[in-house]
Amino acid sequence: MDQNTARLLELAIQIQQIPAPTLEEAERGNFLAGLFQAEGSPLTDTQTDSAGNVLARLPGTGQAPALVISAHMDTVFPQGTDLSIRRERERVYGPGLGDNSLGVAGLFGVLWALRAAARNRQLPGDIWLVANTGEEGLGDLRGMKALVERFGNQPKAYLILEGMAFGHIYHKGIGVQRYKISMRTQGGHSWTDYGRPSAIHQLAALITQISALQPPSHAQHFAQHFAQHFPHTTLNVGRVSGGTSINTIAAEAWMELDLRSEVQRSLAALISQVENLVESARKPGVMVEMTVIGQRPPGEINAGHPVIRLAQACLHEQGIDPILTAGSTDANIPLSKGYPALVLGLTHGGGAHTLQEYIETSQLEQGLEHIVKFVSRVWE
């Protein structure tokens, strides 16, 4: 591991040690703003926008459009999570280290590498380095939405950095629709009021009906070919809550439902099925409310697009066969608007979103190098 890569790894750990649950990224954001400012010239225009994104600009010659490089700084882990790091041979363990403290550190790794190689030579376009907010959970991609609203179709591309996606090129955004579905009833005592509808019982019945749905597929042959690698259309009840006590007929219960698909019409068909079930769950004494709590629009960039071909070439040069794939990432927002966008990764890892999350360090140098080459050549 060279000196720049070792420095990158230590910075990733430093970032990981600062809690940053979704919608609570301010402390980490302030730390990163300080790092950008400490980098000094030629980095300039360090700022924090209204969405909490932290931005800095590496000036180009102005002869070409800017490149936006972004990495989400929020994590799935709540305040109070034990963020201890454990090192074992070529692995480093730590909640949120790969997803996405390493990606955020990658912003600085790219900066250091470009500065070392440039020798006072500016690239054709500005590079905006961005640590963005709200990628995980119910953040609803608010940080990336603000970035795309700000920069629009002006950038050469939007490059999204993820810590554990090395070898993959995400060029498709999976559409996601999320709901909170609430049941309300009169409730009562489990003995004296027995027979009244229970919000929990009613919600459980609805969950059973939703779970029995067969997510639609726009092409059966595609589903059969691809299902083992990435389900075409999926549904999941991720959280359930309700009730007052064991001997109370529940007056309220709710669930959070995640629906997703690569194809908008398939997602729309699944949404329609769920809406029909929710409507049928409404009955005397049972009120049902269905509220949208998250939307991630689908989109994609053709595999033959120059930025995708360049990303593939940069991986081939590292001896890696690229895997073109789809995901629900920050890239969804620019892709949904037809803007060039992709996700690249820095290394391999595992256990994402668990306390046993880890990254592999052996390929980190290669991962950073292929991203730096992509950035250096994107204007060619």
Side-chain angles (χ1 to χ4, degrees):
M1 185 183 298
D2 66 13
Q3 184 177 0
N4 199 42
T5 309
R7 184 183 178 193
L8 168 68
L9 177 59
E10 295 310 309
L11 177 58
I13 293 171
Q14 206 175 355
I15 294 168
Q16 181 266 351
Q17 290 293 294
I18 303 171
T22 303
L23 307 181
E24 300 178 53
E25 304 99 334
E27 182 182 359
R28 186 174 286 187
N30 290 336
F31 173 75
L32 294 168
L35 290 183
F36 278 140
Q37 290 169 346
E39 288 292 335
S41 181
L43 201 63
T44 186
D45 293 337
T46 298
Q47 57 196 265
T48 300
D49 69 14
S50 60
N53 299 319
V54 180
L55 304 88
R57 181 173 66 93
L58 182 64
T61 64
Q63 298 174 326
L67 174 68
V68 175
I69 309 177
S70 189
H72 74 87
M73 62 174 147
D74 60 322
T75 77
V76 301
F77 300 100
Q79 294 285 355
T81 300
D82 183 357
L83 299 177
S84 298
I85 290 291
R86 186 173 85 255
R87 300 175 192 251
E88 293 183 2
R89 297 184 181 179
E90 294 183 339
R91 285 185 179 182
V92 182
Y93 289 79
L97 180 58
D99 186 14
N100 191 36
S101 297
L102 181 58
V104 176
L107 299 171
F108 294 87
V110 169
L111 172 65
W112 300 332
L114 290 176
R115 194 159 52 192
R119 298 175 183 172
N120 298 319
R121 181 180 65 86
Q122 288 179 291
L123 292 168
D126 292 349
I127 296 176
W128 281 95
L129 302 172
V130 187
N132 70 276
T133 59
E135 194 273 346
E136 299 286 9
L138 296 179
D140 206 24
L141 305 185
R142 68 187 184 108
M144 185 54 64
K145 287 176 179 176
L147 284 182
V148 172
E149 183 176 347
R150 172 175 176 164
F151 291 106
N153 65 354
Q154 298 305 307
K156 177 73 174 180
Y158 291 85
L159 171 59
I160 313 302
L161 300 186
E162 286 284 349
M164 300 190 292
F166 182 50
H168 293 73
I169 302 170
Y170 289 79
H171 70 114
K172 295 181 180 180
I174 297 171
V176 181
Q177 190 94 338
R178 289 168 171 162
Y179 295 96
K180 182 175 183 179
I181 301 176
S182 301
M183 296 276 193
R184 292 182 178 83
T185 65
Q186 183 180 356
H189 193 283
S190 63
W191 177 258
T192 58
D193 296 315
Y194 184 73
R196 288 182 183 175
S198 162
I200 290 178
H201 293 189
Q202 297 295 316
L203 186 67
L206 179 58
I207 291 173
T208 299
Q209 292 175 316
I210 290 174
S211 300
L213 290 175
Q214 296 295 318
S217 173
H218 74 296
Q220 188 62 34
H221 73 276
F222 175 88
Q224 291 173 346
H225 172 74
F226 204 50
Q228 292 181 342
H229 305 286
F230 207 105
H232 170 63
T233 304
T234 64
L235 57 87
N236 181 66
V237 176
R239 292 208 304 162
V240 177
S241 184
T244 303
S245 70
I246 192 171
N247 58 335
T248 300
I249 297 171
E252 184 175 7
W254 57 264
M255 66 168 162
E256 290 177 347
L257 176 66
D258 177 283
L259 310 176
R260 55 181 67 198
S261 178
E262 285 186 300
V263 179
Q264 181 60 40
R265 63 178 175 272
S266 296
L267 180 60
L270 181 58
I271 290 170
S272 179
Q273 289 180 312
V274 171
E275 288 176 339
N276 289 338
L277 290 178
V278 168
E279 184 61 34
S280 67
R282 295 187 172 101
K283 59 189 71 174
V286 180
M287 293 180 290
V288 187
E289 183 178 4
M290 184 176 180
T291 306
V292 176
I293 56 174
Q295 290 178 306
R296 298 184 176 207
E300 66 178 273
I301 183 173
N302 189 281
H305 192 283
V307 300
I308 303 302
R309 293 203 307 268
L310 173 59
Q312 290 176 292
C314 292
L315 281 169
H316 279 304
E317 290 171 14
Q318 298 298 322
I320 304 295
D321 288 329
I323 299 172
L324 296 180
T325 191
S328 174
T329 71
D330 277 324
N332 278 51
I333 301 305
L335 287 174
S336 72
K337 296 180 179 294
Y339 306 155
L342 72 163
V343 180
L344 297 177
L346 284 149
T347 191
H348 294 150
H353 293 193
T354 76
L355 297 178
Q356 296 304 312
E357 184 173 330
Y358 67 88
I359 60 170
E360 305 277 1
T361 59
S362 59
Q363 291 185 303
L364 186 52
E365 187 173 336
Q366 279 185 296
L368 178 60
E369 185 175 344
H370 99 280
I371 291 170
V372 172
K373 285 186 174 181
F374 175 89
V375 172
S376 300
R377 293 157 51 183
V378 75
W379 289 281
E380 294 178 359

